[in-house]
Amino acid sequence: MKAKTDSYRKNFALIISFMVLISISLVLALILGYNLTKKYIENEFSALKIDVLEKTIAPYNTLFQNKIPEISFYQGFLDSASAEKYADTILKSYPFVEKVLFYDAQVSNHPIEDGLRIGNFSVGIKKLYQFGLNINQKDKVIFDGKKPGSLSLQSGDEFNKISLKIASYIETADTTKPLNSEQIFRIFYSIVNNKISYMNIPRRDDIKIYQDLMFKSGNTSPVYEQDVFSFELNPSKLKIINNHPQLYRYISIKPLSYDPILEKPKLINTDIALPGPFSDYKIYFGSEQEFLNKEVNRRFFPIALAVFVVYLVLAFITFLIYRNLNINQKLFSLQYDFINNLTHEFKTPVSVIKIAGNNIMNAKELSEKEKNHYGRILDEEADRLNDLMNKLLSFTQIENKAIKINYQDINLEIFAQNMIDTFQMKYPDYVIELEIIGLNTFSTDPVLLNSIFHNLIENAYKYASAGEKKLKIKIYRLKKEVAFSFKDRGIGIEASELDNIFKKFYRIQSRYNQQGSVGLGLAFCKELVNFMNGKITVKSKIGKGSEFEVILPYDK
């Protein structure tokens, strides 16, 4: 027994060690998970600004790649009205475009005063218009070719830049090959700070004509229309699309010279440059550490929850192992007590039988009184052995469902009184009172009911003090059930033990438990009652007695 206890203690120590280990692992996993989540958020804070940039400049990309090239569809034949209509669609759809300049240009070999002339090739301005949401109608024409010399230096410089590009291209153009996207961008676009200028792309036949104008001298040529648009942009009017609001609390477009640390030194900052005509500006991102910590906590919560679930699963498994070890320890103790008690129970009648047999064998003559005495001893001890063996056998048969209920109609008064008479003959000091209310007969298995009566009546006598060996048996009807009440004046049962007394091999550890019990009586009753589709309950008070109540179905 001591070795078993030591082994149990070692197992219990291992369980404690395992719980400490997984608890430490839980803490480490939570710390590591939190730090990794925090690092991941920091990396996202630096990396996902590209997503915000792409969303923010998406309208600009649409303008640059799709809307501006539409000018070439008109092949230079846009007039002021159609140019204004086109400009209105741009200004309304793209708020960051503040003004659109329309150069109604002409290509010829005529001498010009405002424009570009290379050899015989001339690119001049017939009229220059400006369109904007707040520009009055009278202010839309800012230059008229009929008034030479009135073109502003800024407007003229922008026009000359793009005219020089197309003149350079015409000088070396190979009209047998189509233009690729790189050539189109290099020749027909002019991109400077906050401004994009674009000349419509002439057809191959037009380019051949332009080459003739440049390299051949001849009569005065016709005038060929060529459109040039210049878009003045304001990067601060770009609509910032913050598609990661959980990371970036503050986003703004500022010049390159802007330093966010001077304005908000406690912010965590990052930035990214704007492309193309906005290259003098950046998008600045900022968030407080507390703001980012909220996102860290939000993302860490499911990780922590998963770690806790794993921990709880391991803890539950550990609990099951502990419970099983505890149950095994209790079962071992019960089995140990059962073997000791059973050995004692068998040993006592066997010893008595052996002594009586030896006395009979060694006696030369036995008187009639001695014969009756030894015969009664042998009969009682044989019945005791037989009862013990039958109880063990019946218990096994009931647990394995190896027997069936044999229903018979019995007279309850006769049945109960026979049991009472048997016990009162066995224990002359036993006072048993019987009361039957509301019924006379009952259909049940008399053998099984006899076993229930026998065990409960025997227990009531066994666990009662001298002078208090009294029992009241009450049988009464409860709707579709029959109740059998056994109320004694015994020593009583502790409230903490009431849930255990019906367990197999369980014996209450007290000074009263010295009655030769093996812990099968009440467990056997419980199994019998369950087998008969009934229930058994107990109420008890220490020093006042106990009341066992068996309820069986009246209609089978």
Side-chain angles (χ1 to χ4, degrees), residues 103 114-115 125 128 142-143 147-153 155-157 159:
Y103 297 85
D114 295 292
I125 304 174
L128 174 58
I142 58 176
F143 172 74
K147 298 178 182 179
S150 62
L151 182 65
S152 69
L153 183 61
S155 300
D157 183 57
F159 180 78

Side-chain angles (χ1 to χ4, degrees), residues 33-95:
Y34 185 84
N35 289 334
L36 289 176
T37 303
K38 187 175 182 181
K39 187 67 177 177
Y40 186 75
I41 294 296
E42 291 173 356
N43 292 337
E44 279 195 344
F45 184 82
S46 298
L48 293 182
K49 59 188 177 184
I50 297 175
D51 288 350
V52 177
L53 173 66
E54 290 177 350
K55 292 287 184 182
T56 301
I57 65 169
Y60 163 76
N61 290 333
T62 303
L63 170 70
F64 186 81
Q65 297 171 6
N66 301 325
K67 200 66 181 176
I68 292 178
E70 287 182 8
I71 298 169
S72 293
F73 296 162
Y74 303 101
Q75 290 300 318
F77 295 107
L78 282 171
D79 57 16
S80 60
S82 56
E84 183 175 9
K85 184 177 180 181
Y86 168 79
D88 284 342
T89 62
I90 296 295
L91 294 167
K92 291 177 181 178
S93 301
Y94 306 96

